Amino acid sequence: MFYAPASGGVRTYLDAKHRRLGVKPGIRHSLLIPGAHLGEHDGVYTVPAPALPFGKGYRFPLRLAPWRNVLQDLQPDLIEVGDPYLTAWAALDARRQLDVPVIGFYHSDLPLLVGNRMGHWVTPNIEAYVTKLYGNFDRVLAPSQVMADKLTGLGVRNVYVQPLGVDLQTFHPDARDNGLRAELGITEDTRLLIFAGRGSKEKNLPILLKCMQRLGPRYHLLLVGSSMPAVVPDNVSVIDSFCPAPTVARLMASADALLHAGDQETFGLVILEAMACGIPVVAVAAGAFEEIINEDCGLLCLPNNPQAMANAVRELFSRGCVKLGRQARQHVEQHYAWDTVVDSLLSHYHAVLGHSLPRVANG
């Protein structure tokens, strides 16, 4: 259900995998996503599910049968589950009928996500649910070590770290547009920072705004994405809408560095996208960021501390953003190319299948 027109990292992962598995010989990859009605196009199957009231294109499946029926028709050799709701149970039902392995990919920290929205009194119940559900899978993948450790701590076994990747062609230093500063009405020597993503609570955007107040007029921040704050300091500009990947790449490659204050990130795909564009990163030492960012391509600072973030930004510029940005690009080229990620995924598939190339269905 995380697959929607404006959805982020999970859809990026699923689309990248679908494209690459689609051209590998001996593999049929089917992607099952919620839609208005039953349909199929290029191996992407829409399964009827009602739209969620808050829009954004998200749908929440309520009936097992349609998902189970499509899986039954496809006869996959392996099923990978992408979210922890009804589709996961449909996949487990299909496993009993088809006698095939099921892998669960734990993309989001469900107890933290629900606790942030409903109150932490629900956390023990959600943790028990996660333990029960993910205990059923033949193998569990997590995008970072911090997420894998949380699952292991809940008693889930067979957990493996499987990082996501980045589109090295779209997100590239060549996307730079030297006219961006003029568009924003700032001088050529202004130090330009960027944050791209949804303006949700867990991104901690107030920390970024307070950081910019401390940095002053020599620095400028561009916020890009939906649900951005309406009231910002003078040295902050806002593009309050979902932007397609090539637009985000142009903006990132034209900035000096990415700024990220989110302290609950399960992976942080936007960090990789910025590094692929050849710019370094200042982020908080929390979540998965400590696994992605090293001193050759950025700086980490104390979470929830605008002054610490401002100090880190100044230090980054004193070290030289251009050199750090070059190193950041090399880092993602070496470790986070999608082809590398998909080959690693296939090794997980082989491990649970114990034989040749699979027909994979993503539920």
Side-chain angles (χ1 to χ4, degrees):
M1 68 161 283
F2 295 122
Y3 194 101
S7 56
V10 177
R11 174 169 181 163
T12 300
Y13 158 70
L14 292 172
D15 283 343
K17 178 170 69 160
H18 189 62
R19 281 195 299 273
R20 282 159 181 81
L21 290 183
V23 297
K24 286 188 178 286
I27 297 181
R28 185 189 76 205
H29 181 256
S30 305
L31 184 57
L32 277 60
I33 63 169
H37 48 75
L38 195 63
E40 184 270 337
H41 179 69
D42 289 340
V44 179
Y45 292 76
T46 51
V47 185
L52 287 171
F54 54 75
K56 310 280 189 197
Y58 287 95
R59 294 175 176 272
F60 198 96
L62 295 175
R63 296 175 56 233
L64 278 173
W67 298 84
R68 196 169 48 209
N69 292 344
V70 175
L71 287 169
Q72 186 74 41
D73 290 343
L74 287 171
Q75 294 284 305
D77 297 307
L78 178 147
I79 304 169
E80 180 187 317
V81 169
D83 73 49
Y85 308 107
L86 179 135
T87 54
W89 298 104
L92 291 170
D93 265 14
R95 174 173 69 181
R96 285 187 283 274
Q97 295 171 339
L98 301 169
D99 191 27
V100 297
V102 179
I103 288 177
F105 207 131
Y106 191 63
H107 287 288
S108 294
D109 188 340
L110 193 63
L112 192 61
L113 202 66
V114 177
N116 283 343
R117 283 158 176 73
M118 295 180 62
H120 293 289
W121 61 272
V122 299
T123 300
N125 289 340
I126 304 301
E127 288 178 341
Y129 174 83
V130 167
T131 303
K132 180 180 179 182
L133 173 59
Y134 285 85
N136 280 299
F137 297 129
D138 296 276
R139 179 170 288 213
V140 178
L141 305 180
S144 58
Q145 189 63 54
V146 69
M147 289 284 276
D149 290 345
K150 286 189 177 189
L151 286 167
T152 304
L154 293 175
V156 179
R157 294 184 297 174
N158 279 334
V159 180
Y160 295 81
V161 177
Q162 175 54 66
L164 304 182
V166 64
D167 181 343
L168 294 169
Q169 283 71 50
T170 299
F171 294 93
H172 193 282
D174 288 350
R176 182 178 179 86
D177 180 353
N178 291 325
L180 180 60
R181 281 174 169 77
E183 280 180 41
L184 297 173
I186 60 177
T187 61
E188 285 301 310
D189 61 349
T190 300
R191 294 169 167 183
L192 180 58
L193 307 164
I194 188 169
F195 169 79
R198 289 187 303 277
S200 50
K201 180 184 174 185
E202 55 267 21
K203 304 299 180 185
N204 288 341
L205 296 189
I207 301 294
L208 298 187
L209 302 184
K210 290 172 185 173
C211 167
M212 294 310 297
Q213 287 173 327
R214 285 160 172 78
L215 286 171
R218 284 194 65 205
Y219 297 82
H220 197 88
L221 172 65
L222 175 60
L223 297 176
V224 183
S226 56
S227 305
M228 287 296 168
V231 180
V232 297
D234 291 341
N235 61 344
V236 177
S237 297
V238 178
I239 299 176
D240 186 17
S241 63
F242 171 78
C243 293
T247 302
V248 175
R250 177 181 80 90
L251 299 171
M252 281 183 172
S254 309
D256 295 312
L258 181 90
L259 211 52
H260 204 314
D263 59 354
Q264 300 176 6
E265 295 296 313
T266 60
F267 183 69
L269 191 57
V270 70
I271 297 281
L272 293 189
E273 291 170 347
M275 289 162 64
C277 286
I279 64 171
V281 176
V282 172
V284 297
F289 291 161
E290 293 175 279
E291 299 170 40
I292 298 176
I293 302 164
N294 61 43
E295 61 182 13
D296 291 333
C297 47
L299 286 174
L300 295 167
C301 63
L302 284 173
N304 300 306
N305 189 321
Q307 188 60 56
M309 180 161 272
N311 293 344
V313 169
R314 291 191 186 99
E315 184 182 343
L316 187 84
F317 280 92
S318 73
R319 289 189 183 187
C321 283
V322 174
K323 179 187 175 186
L324 291 169
R326 255 195 320 267
Q327 292 169 176
R329 171 71 189 187
Q330 290 168 356
H331 183 67
V332 293
E333 284 176 343
Q334 289 169 7
H335 300 287
Y336 295 102
W338 274 120
D339 287 338
T340 304
V341 170
V342 170
D343 285 345
S344 176
L345 271 170
L346 282 172
S347 71
H348 291 296
Y349 296 166
H350 284 302
V352 296
L353 284 163
H355 63 75
S356 59
L357 293 170
R359 292 187 302 275
V360 184
N362 256 106

